[in-house]
Amino acid sequence: MTDLPSRFAAVRRHSTALAEPLSAEDCCAQSMPDASPVKWHLAHTTWFFETFVLEPNESGFRPFHPAFRVLFNSYYNGVGAKHPRPQRGLLTRPALVEVLAYRADVDERMRALLAQQGGNAALQTLVELGLQHEQQHQELLLTDVLHLLSCNPTAPAYRNAPPAAKALAAPPALGWVECAGGLVDVGHAGAGFCFDNELPRHTSYLAPYALGERLVNQGEFAAFVADGGYARPELWLAEGWDWLAAQHITHPLYWRAAEEGGWNRFGLHGEQPLMPHAPVAHLSYFEADAYARWAGARLPTEAEWEAAAAALAPALLAQAGAPRPRIEPQAIAGGGLRERFGEVWQWTQSSYAPYPGFRAAQGAVGEYNGKFMVNQYVLRGSSCATPPGHARHSYRNFFPTTARWQFSGLRLAQDR
């Protein structure tokens, strides 16, 4: 087990490393209200440690800059005023160099605090929450950069593509993993970190079901598009159909018509041809649900997904959650329930709601998850942008039905 000071340093280094391929101009821009500038992510994750850890625990605390308390607050109403989220891209000041100095200052003060109070269990718990929070922003940083670069007509790459992986010989037919159902335990169990929304662990009943042994891939989704999937109202929820019409949506986000026919896809490696065997990504809940209906299936519930993942042997689960050094989803060969982690987040049909007996923590930190438990759906697994060590089978990601700038895809389910 890595000691907390070393883990703190590693997580903080990873955030700045993600920004290294970018210019200062890249780091300041905001491409839409749902996305944030890289500079803001770097500052906000630092603000978390300064506000929630240093302020109540550091002797003689003084903020790095008093204005940062408002500028880099995200949604913590208990802390005070916030700069409007859609206007984060207007913050040309402080400059990126000052934000990096802010990070360095807070990092040094955090190192001193951890050296002084390393045995403080409450402090350790709060610091771990801050590190997990920063890892969430590391993934958001990449997905927000992807959206930003997609708005540039020169189609710039965040990072040059590695040599093409050897393609699978033939598109694998979708097989099914049969699940008996019955009474299952859902929620975080045992040692290790979890967010409050993964608790309390509780029992659910599942009817017999089956899950697709792999994720829906780009080739299969292209067949849905070619079959007029975006023009067939019988496949869509009413709100989804209205959303399509209002936004003039006819294909997944980042898909672009290729000059020679077919589709290209814009990603963190720039514009590339579709990879038919790789998992499809950047789908909204509405698109995932419509595809499932077209395929004669449905989306799984989050309890079904977790029960199937938790049934794996611990060694296989650890192997599945191991980090992969890439930033695009790819197909994973083999049998059984694969592509569970590290490719794309998987939409479920479960509304994001509290588990039975859920209680939010006291104070501003209690605003972390509980107040968002309305009008959103749960995604499970993790994506190629999820940082190392951040995935687990009880993790509950959540987004509104129209969100598709994340690495979000789907796994099919069927009743048995």
Side-chain angles (χ1 to χ4, degrees), residues 81-372:
K82 306 176 295 295
H83 184 78
R85 179 173 180 172
Q87 298 176 21
R88 290 171 183 171
L90 301 179
L91 296 174
T92 57
R93 309 287 177 90
L96 176 62
V97 65
E98 188 173 356
V99 167
L100 294 176
Y102 177 39
R103 287 183 67 88
D105 177 81
V106 169
D107 286 354
E108 182 60 34
R109 292 156 61 192
M110 282 293 301
R111 280 192 287 270
L113 182 67
L114 290 173
Q116 295 166 3
Q117 301 188 32
N120 183 330
L123 177 68
Q124 290 178 338
T125 298
L126 190 56
V127 171
E128 182 60 38
L129 176 63
L131 294 176
Q132 297 283 338
H133 165 260
E134 180 143 355
Q135 288 184 308
Q136 289 181 312
H137 278 271
Q138 289 166 355
E139 180 158 5
L140 288 169
L141 185 155
L142 287 175
T143 53
D144 292 356
V145 163
L146 173 57
H147 189 272
L148 173 68
L149 297 180
S150 77
C151 298
N152 190 316
T154 66
Y158 164 76
R159 186 184 299 163
N160 291 333
K166 183 179 179 181
L168 299 177
L174 180 63
W176 297 91
V177 175
E178 302 294 331
C179 303
L183 293 175
V184 299
D185 291 328
V186 178
H188 184 75
F193 176 86
C194 72
F195 288 114
D196 58 358
N197 63 4
E198 300 171 53
L199 295 170
R201 189 165 173 82
H202 60 285
T203 301
S204 294
Y205 172 76
L206 303 178
Y209 65 101
L211 293 183
E213 63 181 1
R214 58 165 173 79
L215 302 172
V216 172
N217 62 39
Q218 295 172 25
E220 290 165 335
F221 206 90
F224 168 75
V225 176
D227 194 42
Y230 281 83
R232 294 171 56 181
E234 72 273 15
L235 298 175
W236 293 81
L237 294 168
E239 187 175 327
W241 184 251
D242 293 343
W243 170 71
L244 286 186
Q247 301 297 323
H248 307 289
I249 292 170
T250 58
H251 53 77
L253 184 65
Y254 305 137
W255 284 30
R256 301 173 176 183
E259 291 183 2
E260 64 277 12
W263 297 97
N264 288 338
R265 174 183 169 275
F266 185 81
L268 288 167
H269 295 313
E271 187 166 330
Q272 304 283 332
L274 282 191
M275 298 171 57
H277 307 327
V280 64
H282 305 294
L283 300 181
S284 67
Y285 176 86
F286 290 136
E287 290 166 294
D289 178 79
Y291 178 90
R293 193 170 290 111
W294 175 81
R298 61 173 174 82
L299 299 179
T301 68
E302 63 169 324
E304 288 173 336
W305 191 99
E306 184 173 327
L312 299 170
L316 293 177
L317 191 63
Q319 183 181 14
R324 300 185 178 98
R326 50 185 171 77
I327 50 176
E328 292 289 349
Q330 71 177 33
I332 303 298
L337 194 66
R338 59 189 186 274
E339 300 174 355
R340 298 172 296 276
F341 297 93
E343 307 306 332
V344 298
W345 290 98
Q346 298 149 57
W347 284 107
T348 74
Q349 62 174 253
S350 297
S351 298
Y352 180 51
Y355 283 161
F358 171 82
R359 294 290 184 273
Q362 296 296 312
V365 172
E367 298 184 51
Y368 200 94
N369 283 311
K371 70 181 185 181
F372 298 111

Side-chain angles (χ1 to χ4, degrees), residues 63-81:
F64 179 83
H65 193 304
F68 288 7
R69 186 178 181 87
V70 173
L71 292 182
F72 301 122
N73 183 4
S74 56
Y75 52 72
Y76 295 93
N77 295 317
V79 172

